[in-house]
Amino acid sequence: MRRLCSAANLPEAYLLKQLLEQAGIEARVFNEHAQGALGEIPFTHAYPEVWLINDADAVRAEELIRTYERTEPSAVTRACPACGEQNPQGFEICWRCGAPIS
Ligand SMILES: [Zn+2]
């Protein structure tokens, strides 16, 4: 068993677990119930964690997580130079004000 990463919330933890399992990597989510028990658990321990069953999968799993983080929508937005609105990567004009994004 080996801890891979912690997730911001439970849905993300399960998304990562699913991502790993699609690649044939066995994973478990821990701290599942942490968010319901914030009063009892120190805050830094309250995030769900994704653990690998087999240590040997670590390199491949970390690669998958990095790819996931690169393609996560919030990570690829660009701010419009005219109005400051966030636009998805690949947009050439702002969806809000129509200004070109370079
Ligand atoms: Zn704009």
Coordinates of all heavy atoms in Angstrom, one line a residue:
M1 N 0.8 -1.2 0.0 CA 0.0 0.0 0.0 C 0.9 1.2 0.0 O 1.9 1.3 0.7 CB -0.9 0.0 1.2 CG -1.9 -1.1 1.3 SD -3.3 -0.8 0.1 CE -4.2 0.5 1.1
R2 N 0.4 2.2 -0.7 CA 1.2 3.5 -0.8 C 0.3 4.6 -1.1 O -0.6 4.5 -1.9 CB 2.2 3.3 -2.0 CG 3.1 4.5 -2.2 CD 3.9 4.3 -3.4 NE 4.5 5.5 -3.8 CZ 5.8 5.7 -4.0 NH1 6.6 4.6 -4.0 NH2 6.3 6.8 -4.4
R3 N 0.4 5.7 -0.4 CA -0.4 6.9 -0.5 C 0.0 7.6 -1.8 O 1.2 7.9 -2.0 CB -0.2 7.8 0.7 CG -1.1 9.1 0.6 CD -0.8 9.9 1.8 NE -1.4 11.2 1.7 CZ -0.9 12.2 1.0 NH1 0.3 12.1 0.4 NH2 -1.5 13.4 1.0
L4 N -1.0 7.8 -2.7 CA -0.7 8.5 -4.0 C -0.8 10.0 -3.8 O 0.1 10.8 -4.1 CB -1.6 8.0 -5.1 CG -1.4 8.6 -6.4 CD1 0.0 8.3 -7.0 CD2 -2.5 8.2 -7.4
C5 N -2.0 10.4 -3.4 CA -2.2 11.9 -3.3 C -3.5 12.1 -2.4 O -4.2 11.2 -2.1 CB -2.4 12.5 -4.6 SG -3.9 11.9 -5.5
S6 N -3.7 13.4 -2.0 CA -5.0 13.7 -1.4 C -5.8 14.5 -2.4 O -5.2 15.1 -3.3 CB -4.7 14.5 -0.1 OG -4.0 15.6 -0.4
A7 N -7.1 14.4 -2.2 CA -8.0 15.1 -3.2 C -8.7 16.2 -2.4 O -8.8 16.2 -1.2 CB -9.0 14.1 -3.7
A8 N -9.1 17.2 -3.2 CA -9.8 18.4 -2.6 C -11.1 18.0 -2.0 O -11.6 18.6 -1.0 CB -10.0 19.5 -3.6
N9 N -11.8 17.0 -2.5 CA -13.1 16.6 -2.0 C -13.3 15.1 -2.4 O -12.6 14.6 -3.2 CB -14.2 17.5 -2.5 CG -14.1 17.7 -4.0 OD1 -14.0 16.7 -4.8 ND2 -14.1 18.9 -4.5
L10 N -14.4 14.6 -1.9 CA -14.7 13.2 -2.1 C -15.0 12.8 -3.6 O -14.4 11.8 -4.1 CB -15.8 12.7 -1.2 CG -15.9 11.2 -0.9 CD1 -14.6 10.7 -0.4 CD2 -17.0 11.0 0.1
P11 N -15.8 13.6 -4.3 CA -16.0 13.3 -5.7 C -14.7 13.3 -6.5 O -14.5 12.4 -7.4 CB -16.9 14.5 -6.2 CG -17.6 14.9 -5.0 CD -16.6 14.7 -3.9
E12 N -13.8 14.2 -6.2 CA -12.5 14.2 -6.9 C -11.7 12.9 -6.6 O -11.1 12.3 -7.5 CB -11.7 15.4 -6.6 CG -10.5 15.5 -7.5 CD -9.6 16.7 -7.3 OE1 -8.8 16.7 -6.3 OE2 -9.7 17.6 -8.0
A13 N -11.8 12.5 -5.4 CA -11.0 11.3 -5.0 C -11.5 10.1 -5.7 O -10.8 9.3 -6.2 CB -11.2 11.1 -3.5
Y14 N -12.9 10.0 -5.9 CA -13.4 8.9 -6.6 C -13.2 9.0 -8.1 O -13.0 8.0 -8.8 CB -14.9 8.7 -6.3 CG -15.1 8.0 -5.1 CD1 -15.5 8.6 -3.9 CD2 -14.9 6.6 -5.0 CE1 -15.6 7.9 -2.7 CE2 -15.1 5.9 -3.9 CZ -15.4 6.5 -2.7 OH -15.6 5.9 -1.5
L15 N -13.1 10.2 -8.6 CA -12.8 10.4 -10.0 C -11.3 9.9 -10.3 O -11.1 9.2 -11.3 CB -12.9 11.9 -10.3 CG -12.7 12.3 -11.8 CD1 -14.0 11.9 -12.5 CD2 -12.5 13.8 -11.9
L16 N -10.4 10.2 -9.4 CA -9.0 9.8 -9.5 C -8.9 8.2 -9.5 O -8.2 7.6 -10.2 CB -8.2 10.4 -8.5 CG -8.0 11.9 -8.6 CD1 -7.2 12.5 -7.4 CD2 -7.3 12.3 -9.9
K17 N -9.7 7.7 -8.5 CA -9.7 6.2 -8.3 C -10.2 5.5 -9.6 O -9.6 4.6 -10.1 CB -10.6 5.9 -7.2 CG -10.8 4.4 -6.9 CD -11.6 4.2 -5.6 CE -11.8 2.7 -5.3 NZ -12.8 2.1 -6.1
Q18 N -11.3 6.1 -10.2 CA -11.8 5.6 -11.4 C -10.8 5.7 -12.6 O -10.6 4.7 -13.4 CB -13.1 6.4 -11.8 CG -14.0 5.7 -12.8 CD -15.2 6.6 -13.1 OE1 -15.1 7.8 -13.0 NE2 -16.3 6.0 -13.5
L19 N -10.1 6.8 -12.6 CA -9.1 7.0 -13.6 C -8.0 6.0 -13.6 O -7.6 5.4 -14.6 CB -8.5 8.4 -13.4 CG -7.8 9.2 -14.5 CD1 -8.9 9.7 -15.5 CD2 -7.0 10.3 -13.9
L20 N -7.6 5.7 -12.3 CA -6.6 4.7 -12.1 C -7.0 3.3 -12.5 O -6.3 2.5 -13.1 CB -6.1 4.7 -10.6 CG -5.4 6.0 -10.2 CD1 -5.3 6.0 -8.7 CD2 -4.0 6.1 -10.8
E21 N -8.3 3.0 -12.1 CA -8.8 1.6 -12.4 C -9.0 1.4 -13.9 O -8.8 0.3 -14.4 CB -10.1 1.4 -11.6 CG -9.8 1.2 -10.1 CD -11.0 1.0 -9.2 OE1 -12.1 1.4 -9.7 OE2 -10.8 0.6 -8.1
Q22 N -9.3 2.5 -14.6 CA -9.5 2.4 -16.0 C -8.1 2.0 -16.7 O -8.1 1.4 -17.7 CB -9.9 3.7 -16.6 CG -11.5 3.8 -16.5 CD -12.0 5.2 -16.9 OE1 -11.2 6.1 -17.2 NE2 -13.2 5.4 -16.8
A23 N -7.0 2.4 -16.0 CA -5.7 2.0 -16.5 C -5.2 0.7 -15.9 O -4.0 0.4 -16.0 CB -4.7 3.2 -16.1
G24 N -6.1 0.0 -15.2 CA -5.7 -1.3 -14.6 C -4.9 -1.2 -13.3 O -4.2 -2.1 -12.9
I25 N -5.0 0.0 -12.6 CA -4.3 0.2 -11.3 C -5.3 0.1 -10.2 O -6.3 0.9 -10.2 CB -3.6 1.5 -11.4 CG1 -2.5 1.5 -12.5 CG2 -2.9 1.8 -10.0 CD1 -1.9 2.9 -12.7
E26 N -5.1 -0.8 -9.3 CA -6.0 -0.9 -8.1 C -5.7 0.2 -7.1 O -4.6 0.5 -6.7 CB -5.8 -2.2 -7.4 CG -6.5 -3.4 -8.1 CD -6.4 -4.6 -7.2 OE1 -5.3 -5.3 -7.2 OE2 -7.3 -4.9 -6.5
A27 N -6.8 0.9 -6.7 CA -6.7 2.0 -5.7 C -7.8 2.0 -4.7 O -8.9 1.4 -5.0 CB -6.7 3.3 -6.5
R28 N -7.6 2.6 -3.6 CA -8.6 2.8 -2.6 C -8.7 4.2 -2.2 O -7.7 5.0 -2.2 CB -8.2 2.0 -1.3 CG -8.2 0.5 -1.5 CD -9.6 -0.1 -1.4 NE -9.6 -1.5 -1.6 CZ -9.6 -2.2 -2.8 NH1 -9.6 -1.5 -3.9 NH2 -9.6 -3.5 -2.9
V29 N -9.9 4.6 -1.7 CA -10.1 6.0 -1.2 C -10.2 5.9 0.3 O -10.9 5.1 0.9 CB -11.3 6.6 -1.7 CG1 -11.6 8.0 -1.0 CG2 -11.2 6.9 -3.2
F30 N -9.3 6.7 1.0 CA -9.4 6.7 2.5 C -9.9 8.1 3.0 O -9.9 9.0 2.2 CB -8.0 6.4 3.1 CG -7.7 4.9 3.0 CD1 -6.6 4.5 2.2 CD2 -8.4 4.0 3.7 CE1 -6.3 3.2 2.1 CE2 -8.1 2.6 3.6 CZ -7.1 2.2 2.8
N31 N -10.2 8.2 4.2 CA -10.7 9.4 4.8 C -12.1 9.8 4.2 O -12.4 10.9 4.1 CB -9.8 10.6 4.6 CG -8.6 10.5 5.6 OD1 -8.6 9.7 6.5 ND2 -7.7 11.4 5.5
E32 N -12.8 8.8 3.7 CA -14.1 9.0 3.0 C -15.0 9.8 3.9 O -15.8 10.6 3.4 CB -14.7 7.6 2.8 CG -14.4 7.0 1.5 CD -15.2 5.8 1.3 OE1 -16.4 5.9 1.0 OE2 -14.7 4.7 1.5
H33 N -15.0 9.5 5.2 CA -16.0 10.1 6.0 C -15.5 11.3 6.8 O -16.1 11.9 7.6 CB -16.6 9.1 7.0 CG -17.1 7.9 6.3 ND1 -18.2 7.9 5.5 CD2 -16.6 6.6 6.3 CE1 -18.4 6.7 5.0 NE2 -17.5 5.9 5.4
A34 N -14.2 11.7 6.4 CA -13.6 12.8 7.1 C -14.4 14.1 7.1 O -14.4 14.8 8.0 CB -12.2 13.0 6.5
Q35 N -15.0 14.4 5.9 CA -15.7 15.7 5.8 C -16.9 15.8 6.7 O -17.3 16.9 7.0 CB -16.0 15.9 4.4 CG -14.7 16.0 3.5 CD -15.0 16.7 2.2 OE1 -16.0 16.6 1.6 NE2 -13.9 17.4 1.7
G36 N -17.4 14.7 7.2 CA -18.5 14.7 8.1 C -18.1 14.8 9.5 O -18.9 14.9 10.4
A37 N -16.7 14.7 9.7 CA -16.2 14.7 11.1 C -15.1 15.7 11.3 O -14.2 15.5 12.0 CB -15.7 13.3 11.4
L38 N -15.3 16.8 10.7 CA -14.3 17.9 10.7 C -14.0 18.3 12.2 O -12.9 18.7 12.5 CB -14.7 19.1 9.9 CG -14.3 19.0 8.4 CD1 -14.8 20.3 7.7 CD2 -12.8 18.9 8.3
G39 N -15.0 18.3 13.0 CA -14.8 18.7 14.4 C -13.9 17.8 15.2 O -13.2 18.3 16.1
E40 N -13.7 16.6 14.8 CA -12.9 15.6 15.6 C -11.6 15.4 15.0 O -10.7 14.9 15.7 CB -13.7 14.3 15.6 CG -15.0 14.4 16.4 CD -15.9 13.2 16.1 OE1 -15.3 12.1 15.9 OE2 -17.1 13.4 16.1
I41 N -11.4 15.7 13.7 CA -10.1 15.4 13.0 C -9.4 16.6 12.7 O -10.0 17.6 12.2 CB -10.4 14.6 11.7 CG1 -11.1 13.2 12.1 CG2 -9.1 14.3 10.9 CD1 -11.6 12.4 10.9
P42 N -8.1 16.7 12.9 CA -7.3 17.9 12.6 C -7.6 18.2 11.1 O -7.6 17.3 10.2 CB -5.9 17.5 12.8 CG -6.0 16.4 13.8 CD -7.3 15.7 13.5
F43 N -7.7 19.5 10.8 CA -8.1 19.9 9.4 C -7.2 19.3 8.3 O -7.6 18.9 7.3 CB -8.1 21.4 9.3 CG -8.6 21.9 8.0 CD1 -10.0 21.8 7.7 CD2 -7.8 22.5 7.1 CE1 -10.5 22.3 6.5 CE2 -8.3 23.0 5.9 CZ -9.6 22.9 5.6
T44 N -5.9 19.3 8.6 CA -5.0 18.8 7.6 C -5.2 17.3 7.3 O -4.7 16.8 6.3 CB -3.5 19.0 8.0 OG1 -3.4 18.5 9.3 CG2 -3.1 20.5 8.0
H45 N -5.8 16.6 8.1 CA -6.1 15.2 7.9 C -7.5 14.9 7.3 O -7.9 13.8 7.2 CB -5.9 14.4 9.2 CG -4.5 14.4 9.7 ND1 -4.2 14.0 11.0 CD2 -3.4 14.8 9.1 CE1 -2.9 14.2 11.2 NE2 -2.4 14.7 10.0
A46 N -8.2 16.0 7.0 CA -9.6 15.8 6.7 C -9.8 15.6 5.2 O -11.0 15.5 4.8 CB -10.4 17.0 7.2
Y47 N -8.8 15.7 4.4 CA -9.0 15.5 2.9 C -9.0 14.0 2.6 O -8.3 13.2 3.2 CB -7.9 16.2 2.1 CG -8.0 17.7 2.2 CD1 -7.2 18.4 3.0 CD2 -9.0 18.3 1.5 CE1 -7.3 19.8 3.1 CE2 -9.2 19.7 1.6 CZ -8.3 20.4 2.4 OH -8.4 21.8 2.5
P48 N -9.9 13.6 1.7 CA -9.8 12.2 1.2 C -8.5 11.9 0.6 O -7.9 12.8 -0.1 CB -11.0 12.1 0.2 CG -11.6 13.4 0.1 CD -10.9 14.4 0.9
E49 N -8.0 10.7 0.7 CA -6.7 10.3 0.2 C -6.9 9.1 -0.8 O -7.7 8.2 -0.5 CB -5.7 9.9 1.3 CG -5.4 11.1 2.1 CD -4.3 10.8 3.2 OE1 -4.1 9.6 3.4 OE2 -3.7 11.8 3.7
V50 N -6.1 9.1 -1.8 CA -6.1 8.0 -2.8 C -4.8 7.2 -2.5 O -3.7 7.7 -2.5 CB -6.1 8.5 -4.2 CG1 -6.2 7.3 -5.2 CG2 -7.4 9.4 -4.4
W51 N -5.0 5.9 -2.3 CA -3.9 5.0 -2.0 C -3.8 3.9 -3.1 O -4.9 3.5 -3.6 CB -4.1 4.3 -0.7 CG -3.8 5.2 0.5 CD1 -4.5 6.3 0.9 CD2 -2.8 5.0 1.5 NE1 -3.9 6.9 2.0 CE2 -2.9 6.1 2.4 CE3 -1.8 4.1 1.7 CZ2 -2.0 6.2 3.5 CZ3 -0.9 4.2 2.8 CH2 -1.0 5.3 3.7
L52 N -2.6 3.5 -3.4 CA -2.4 2.4 -4.4 C -2.3 1.1 -3.6 O -1.7 1.0 -2.6 CB -1.1 2.7 -5.1 CG -1.1 4.0 -6.0 CD1 0.3 4.1 -6.6 CD2 -2.2 4.0 -7.0
I53 N -2.9 0.1 -4.2 CA -2.8 -1.3 -3.6 C -1.3 -1.8 -3.8 O -0.7 -2.3 -2.9 CB -3.8 -2.3 -4.2 CG1 -5.2 -1.7 -4.0 CG2 -3.6 -3.6 -3.6 CD1 -5.7 -1.5 -2.6
N54 N -0.8 -1.6 -5.0 CA 0.5 -2.1 -5.4 C 1.5 -0.9 -5.5 O 1.3 -0.1 -6.4 CB 0.4 -2.9 -6.7 CG -0.5 -4.1 -6.6 OD1 -0.4 -4.9 -5.6 ND2 -1.5 -4.2 -7.5
D55 N 2.5 -1.0 -4.7 CA 3.5 0.1 -4.8 C 4.1 0.2 -6.2 O 4.5 1.3 -6.6 CB 4.7 -0.2 -3.8 CG 4.3 -0.1 -2.4 OD1 3.0 0.0 -2.1 OD2 5.1 0.1 -1.5
A56 N 4.2 -0.9 -6.9 CA 4.8 -0.9 -8.2 C 4.1 -0.1 -9.2 O 4.6 0.3 -10.3 CB 4.9 -2.4 -8.7
D57 N 2.8 0.3 -8.9 CA 2.0 1.1 -9.9 C 2.3 2.6 -9.7 O 1.8 3.4 -10.5 CB 0.5 0.9 -9.6 CG 0.1 -0.5 -10.1 OD1 0.7 -1.0 -11.0 OD2 -0.8 -1.0 -9.5
A58 N 3.2 3.0 -8.7 CA 3.3 4.4 -8.3 C 3.7 5.3 -9.5 O 3.1 6.4 -9.7 CB 4.3 4.5 -7.2
V59 N 4.7 4.9 -10.3 CA 5.2 5.7 -11.3 C 4.1 6.0 -12.4 O 3.8 7.1 -12.8 CB 6.4 5.1 -12.0 CG1 6.9 5.9 -13.2 CG2 7.6 5.1 -11.0
R60 N 3.4 4.9 -12.8 CA 2.4 5.1 -13.8 C 1.2 5.9 -13.2 O 0.6 6.7 -13.9 CB 1.9 3.7 -14.2 CG 1.7 3.5 -15.7 CD 1.8 2.0 -16.1 NE 0.9 1.1 -15.4 CZ -0.3 0.9 -15.8 NH1 -0.8 1.5 -16.9 NH2 -1.1 0.0 -15.2
A61 N 0.9 5.7 -12.0 CA -0.3 6.4 -11.3 C 0.0 7.9 -11.2 O -0.8 8.7 -11.5 CB -0.5 5.8 -9.9
E62 N 1.3 8.2 -10.9 CA 1.6 9.6 -10.8 C 1.6 10.3 -12.1 O 1.2 11.5 -12.3 CB 3.0 9.8 -10.1 CG 3.0 9.6 -8.6 CD 4.3 9.4 -8.0 OE1 5.3 9.6 -8.6 OE2 4.3 9.1 -6.8
E63 N 1.9 9.6 -13.2 CA 1.8 10.1 -14.5 C 0.4 10.4 -14.9 O 0.0 11.4 -15.4 CB 2.4 9.0 -15.5 CG 2.5 9.5 -16.9 CD 3.6 10.6 -17.1 OE1 4.6 10.6 -16.3 OE2 3.4 11.4 -18.0
L64 N -0.5 9.5 -14.5 CA -2.0 9.7 -14.8 C -2.5 10.9 -14.1 O -3.3 11.7 -14.6 CB -2.7 8.4 -14.4 CG -2.7 7.2 -15.3 CD1 -3.3 6.0 -14.6 CD2 -3.5 7.5 -16.5
I65 N -2.1 11.0 -12.8 CA -2.5 12.2 -12.0 C -2.1 13.5 -12.6 O -2.8 14.5 -12.7 CB -2.0 12.1 -10.5 CG1 -2.6 10.8 -9.9 CG2 -2.4 13.3 -9.7 CD1 -4.1 10.7 -9.7
R66 N -0.8 13.5 -13.1 CA -0.3 14.7 -13.7 C -1.1 15.1 -14.9 O -1.4 16.2 -15.2 CB 1.2 14.6 -14.0 CG 2.1 15.0 -12.9 CD 3.5 15.2 -13.4 NE 4.1 14.1 -13.9 CZ 4.8 13.1 -13.2 NH1 4.9 13.3 -12.0 NH2 5.3 12.1 -13.8
T67 N -1.4 14.0 -15.7 CA -2.1 14.3 -17.0 C -3.5 14.8 -16.6 O -4.0 15.7 -17.2 CB -2.3 13.0 -17.8 OG1 -1.0 12.4 -18.0 CG2 -3.0 13.2 -19.1
Y68 N -4.1 14.2 -15.6 CA -5.4 14.7 -15.1 C -5.4 16.1 -14.7 O -6.2 16.9 -15.1 CB -5.9 13.8 -14.0 CG -7.1 14.4 -13.2 CD1 -8.4 14.4 -13.7 CD2 -6.8 15.0 -12.0 CE1 -9.4 15.0 -13.0 CE2 -7.9 15.6 -11.3 CZ -9.1 15.6 -11.8 OH -10.2 16.2 -11.1
E69 N -4.4 16.5 -14.0 CA -4.3 17.9 -13.5 C -4.0 18.9 -14.6 O -4.5 20.0 -14.6 CB -3.1 18.0 -12.4 CG -3.6 17.4 -11.1 CD -2.5 17.3 -10.1 OE1 -1.3 17.5 -10.5 OE2 -2.8 17.1 -8.9
R70 N -3.3 18.4 -15.7 CA -3.1 19.3 -16.8 C -4.4 19.5 -17.6 O -4.6 20.6 -18.2 CB -2.1 18.7 -17.8 CG -0.6 19.1 -17.5 CD 0.2 18.9 -18.7 NE 0.2 17.5 -19.2 CZ 1.0 16.6 -18.8 NH1 2.0 16.9 -17.9 NH2 1.0 15.4 -19.2
T71 N -5.3 18.5 -17.6 CA -6.5 18.6 -18.5 C -7.7 19.1 -17.7 O -8.8 19.2 -18.3 CB -6.8 17.3 -19.2 OG1 -6.9 16.3 -18.2 CG2 -5.7 16.9 -20.1
E72 N -7.5 19.2 -16.4 CA -8.7 19.7 -15.6 C -9.1 21.0 -16.1 O -8.3 21.9 -16.3 CB -8.2 19.8 -14.1 CG -9.3 19.8 -13.1 CD -8.7 20.0 -11.7 OE1 -7.5 20.3 -11.6 OE2 -9.5 19.9 -10.8
P73 N -10.4 21.2 -16.3 CA -10.9 22.5 -16.9 C -10.4 23.7 -16.2 O -10.0 24.7 -16.8 CB -12.4 22.4 -16.7 CG -12.7 20.9 -16.7 CD -11.5 20.3 -16.0
S74 N -10.4 23.7 -14.9 CA -10.0 25.0 -14.1 C -8.6 25.3 -14.4 O -8.2 26.4 -14.2 CB -10.3 24.8 -12.6 OG -9.5 23.7 -12.1
A75 N -7.8 24.3 -14.8 CA -6.3 24.6 -14.9 C -6.0 25.1 -16.3 O -4.9 25.5 -16.5 CB -5.6 23.3 -14.7
V76 N -7.0 25.1 -17.2 CA -6.6 25.5 -18.6 C -7.4 26.7 -19.1 O -7.5 26.9 -20.3 CB -6.8 24.3 -19.6 CG1 -5.9 23.2 -19.3 CG2 -8.3 23.8 -19.6
T77 N -8.0 27.4 -18.2 CA -8.7 28.6 -18.6 C -7.7 29.8 -18.7 O -6.6 29.8 -18.1 CB -9.8 29.0 -17.6 OG1 -9.2 29.2 -16.3 CG2 -10.9 28.0 -17.5
R78 N -8.1 30.7 -19.6 CA -7.3 31.9 -19.8 C -8.2 33.1 -19.5 O -9.3 33.1 -20.0 CB -6.7 32.0 -21.2 CG -5.5 31.0 -21.3 CD -4.8 31.2 -22.6 NE -5.7 31.0 -23.8 CZ -5.3 31.2 -25.0 NH1 -4.1 31.6 -25.3 NH2 -6.2 31.0 -26.0
A79 N -7.6 34.1 -18.9 CA -8.4 35.3 -18.6 C -8.4 36.2 -19.9 O -7.4 36.4 -20.5 CB -7.8 36.1 -17.4
C80 N -9.6 36.8 -20.2 CA -9.8 37.7 -21.3 C -9.0 39.0 -21.0 O -9.2 39.5 -19.9 CB -11.2 38.0 -21.5 SG -11.6 39.3 -22.6
P81 N -8.2 39.5 -21.9 CA -7.4 40.7 -21.6 C -8.4 41.9 -21.5 O -8.0 42.9 -20.9 CB -6.5 40.8 -22.8 CG -7.0 40.0 -23.9 CD -7.9 38.9 -23.2
A82 N -9.5 41.9 -22.1 CA -10.4 43.0 -22.1 C -11.3 43.1 -20.9 O -11.4 44.1 -20.2 CB -11.3 43.0 -23.4
C83 N -12.0 41.9 -20.5 CA -12.9 42.0 -19.4 C -12.6 41.1 -18.3 O -13.2 41.2 -17.2 CB -14.3 41.6 -20.0 SG -14.5 39.8 -20.3
G84 N -11.5 40.3 -18.4 CA -11.0 39.5 -17.3 C -11.8 38.2 -17.1 O -11.5 37.4 -16.2
E85 N -12.8 37.9 -17.9 CA -13.6 36.7 -17.8 C -12.7 35.5 -18.2 O -11.8 35.6 -19.0 CB -14.8 36.7 -18.8 CG -15.8 35.6 -18.6 CD -16.4 35.7 -17.2 OE1 -17.0 36.7 -16.8 OE2 -16.3 34.7 -16.5
Q86 N -12.9 34.3 -17.5 CA -12.2 33.1 -17.8 C -12.7 32.4 -19.0 O -13.9 32.2 -19.1 CB -12.2 32.2 -16.6 CG -11.4 32.7 -15.4 CD -9.9 32.8 -15.6 OE1 -9.3 32.0 -16.3 NE2 -9.4 33.9 -15.0
N87 N -11.9 32.1 -19.9 CA -12.3 31.3 -21.1 C -11.5 30.0 -21.2 O -10.4 29.9 -20.9 CB -11.9 32.2 -22.4 CG -12.9 33.3 -22.6 OD1 -13.9 33.2 -23.3 ND2 -12.5 34.4 -21.9
P88 N -12.2 29.0 -21.7 CA -11.6 27.7 -21.8 C -10.4 27.8 -22.8 O -10.5 28.5 -23.8 CB -12.7 26.7 -22.4 CG -13.9 27.4 -22.1 CD -13.6 28.9 -22.0
Q89 N -9.4 26.9 -22.6 CA -8.3 26.9 -23.6 C -8.8 26.6 -25.0 O -9.7 25.8 -25.1 CB -7.3 25.7 -23.1 CG -6.0 25.7 -23.8 CD -5.1 26.8 -23.1 OE1 -5.1 27.0 -22.0 NE2 -4.2 27.4 -24.0
G90 N -8.3 27.2 -26.0 CA -8.7 27.0 -27.3 C -9.6 28.0 -27.9 O -9.8 28.1 -29.1
F91 N -10.3 28.8 -26.9 CA -11.2 29.9 -27.4 C -10.3 31.0 -28.0 O -9.3 31.4 -27.3 CB -12.0 30.4 -26.2 CG -13.3 29.7 -26.0 CD1 -13.3 28.3 -26.1 CD2 -14.4 30.3 -25.6 CE1 -14.5 27.6 -25.9 CE2 -15.6 29.7 -25.4 CZ -15.6 28.3 -25.5
E92 N -10.7 31.5 -29.2 CA -9.9 32.6 -29.8 C -10.5 33.9 -29.5 O -9.8 34.9 -29.5 CB -9.7 32.3 -31.3 CG -8.8 31.2 -31.5 CD -8.6 30.8 -33.0 OE1 -9.2 31.5 -33.8 OE2 -7.9 29.9 -33.3
I93 N -11.8 33.9 -29.3 CA -12.4 35.2 -28.8 C -13.2 34.9 -27.5 O -13.7 33.8 -27.3 CB -13.4 35.8 -29.9 CG1 -14.5 34.8 -30.3 CG2 -12.6 36.2 -31.1 CD1 -15.6 35.4 -31.0
C94 N -13.3 36.0 -26.7 CA -13.9 35.9 -25.4 C -15.4 35.6 -25.6 O -16.1 36.2 -26.4 CB -13.7 37.2 -24.6 SG -14.6 37.2 -23.1
W95 N -15.9 34.6 -24.9 CA -17.3 34.2 -25.0 C -18.2 35.3 -24.4 O -19.4 35.4 -24.8 CB -17.6 32.9 -24.3 CG -17.4 32.9 -22.8 CD1 -16.3 32.6 -22.1 CD2 -18.3 33.4 -21.8 NE1 -16.4 32.8 -20.8 CE2 -17.7 33.3 -20.5 CE3 -19.6 33.9 -21.8 CZ2 -18.3 33.6 -19.3 CZ3 -20.2 34.2 -20.6 CH2 -19.6 34.1 -19.3
R96 N -17.7 36.2 -23.6 CA -18.5 37.2 -22.9 C -18.5 38.5 -23.7 O -19.6 39.1 -24.0 CB -17.9 37.4 -21.5 CG -18.8 38.3 -20.7 CD -18.4 38.2 -19.2 NE -19.2 39.1 -18.4 CZ -18.6 40.1 -17.7 NH1 -17.3 40.3 -17.7 NH2 -19.4 40.9 -17.0
C97 N -17.3 39.0 -24.1 CA -17.3 40.3 -24.7 C -16.8 40.3 -26.1 O -16.9 41.3 -26.8 CB -16.4 41.3 -23.9 SG -14.7 40.9 -24.0
G98 N -16.3 39.2 -26.6 CA -15.9 39.1 -28.0 C -14.5 39.6 -28.4 O -14.1 39.6 -29.5
A99 N -13.8 40.0 -27.4 CA -12.4 40.5 -27.6 C -11.5 39.3 -27.9 O -11.7 38.2 -27.4 CB -11.9 41.2 -26.4
P100 N -10.5 39.5 -28.8 CA -9.6 38.4 -29.1 C -8.7 38.1 -27.9 O -8.3 39.0 -27.2 CB -8.8 38.9 -30.3 CG -9.0 40.4 -30.3 CD -10.3 40.7 -29.6
I101 N -8.5 36.8 -27.7 CA -7.6 36.3 -26.7 C -6.3 35.9 -27.3 O -6.3 34.9 -28.1 CB -8.2 35.2 -25.9 CG1 -9.6 35.6 -25.3 CG2 -7.3 34.7 -24.7 CD1 -10.4 34.4 -24.9
S102 N -5.2 36.5 -27.0 CA -3.9 36.1 -27.6 C -3.0 35.5 -26.6 O -3.2 35.6 -25.4 CB -3.3 37.2 -28.4 OG -3.1 38.3 -27.4
Ligands
ZN1 ZN -13.9 39.4 -22.5

